[in-house]
Amino acid sequence: MEKIVIQNLKNIRKKIGISKEEMANYLNLEQSSISKFENSERTLHMNHLEKSCCLFDININDLFKEDLNIAILSPSFIKDELNFNSLPDIAKINQIALNIIEMKKLLEKNN
């Protein structure tokens, strides 16, 4: 199961064009921590996984899907060159969007 999470996070990070160094900075980790995580030599705390999911605009449950095939919107649509300082803002906007989606699902279930 852990290998699936690692592969999914790595694939998404690469797909949206965030380097290991940018990811590490965003998570307040050393770049080597991201490398070790992606090489299955280290685990990430749940708060790092949750923070990553906010940035990637995915539900944390999606990380455990063996065949993760979801549309990933690259944050680079904001401007030509992604700035590290943009990542926390992007993650906040994505978290709001995920919360709205979850609220709609709950409302539909209860109606």
Side-chain angles (χ1 to χ4, degrees):
M1 182 75 70
E2 187 175 313
K3 288 183 179 186
I4 294 168
V5 171
I6 292 168
Q7 195 60 48
N8 284 337
L9 280 176
K10 182 178 179 179
N11 289 342
I12 295 169
R13 179 187 62 75
K14 286 182 170 184
K15 187 172 184 177
I16 66 172
I18 294 179
S19 69
K20 289 179 189 177
E21 183 177 3
E22 290 169 324
M23 192 70 195
N25 286 335
Y26 172 70
L27 295 175
N28 294 319
L29 296 171
E30 296 292 324
Q31 189 265 322
S32 63
S33 296
I34 300 300
S35 293
K36 288 179 180 178
F37 169 74
E38 290 184 357
N39 291 322
S40 300
E41 298 169 8
R42 178 191 167 132
T43 59
L44 288 181
H45 293 283
M46 183 59 81
N47 62 330
H48 292 126
L49 294 176
E50 289 173 342
K51 195 171 178 180
S52 297
C53 287
C54 288
L55 177 63
F56 299 152
D57 195 21
I58 62 170
N59 186 299
I60 196 158
N61 294 327
D62 291 334
L63 289 180
F64 299 92
K65 292 181 180 176
E66 204 162 321
D67 187 23
L68 183 61
N69 189 17
I70 58 175
I72 305 294
L73 183 60
S74 174
S76 61
F77 72 90
I78 293 175
K79 54 185 173 181
D80 291 337
E81 190 171 321
L82 183 64
N83 181 322
F84 168 72
N85 295 327
S86 303
L87 297 183
D89 294 333
I90 292 167
K92 287 176 187 174
I93 292 167
N94 289 343
Q95 184 61 55
I96 292 168
L98 287 171
N99 288 344
I100 290 170
I101 291 167
E102 286 300 313
M103 288 174 63
K104 283 184 177 181
K105 286 180 185 176
L106 288 172
L107 287 172
E108 288 173 1
K109 188 186 285 189
N110 290 328
N111 287 331

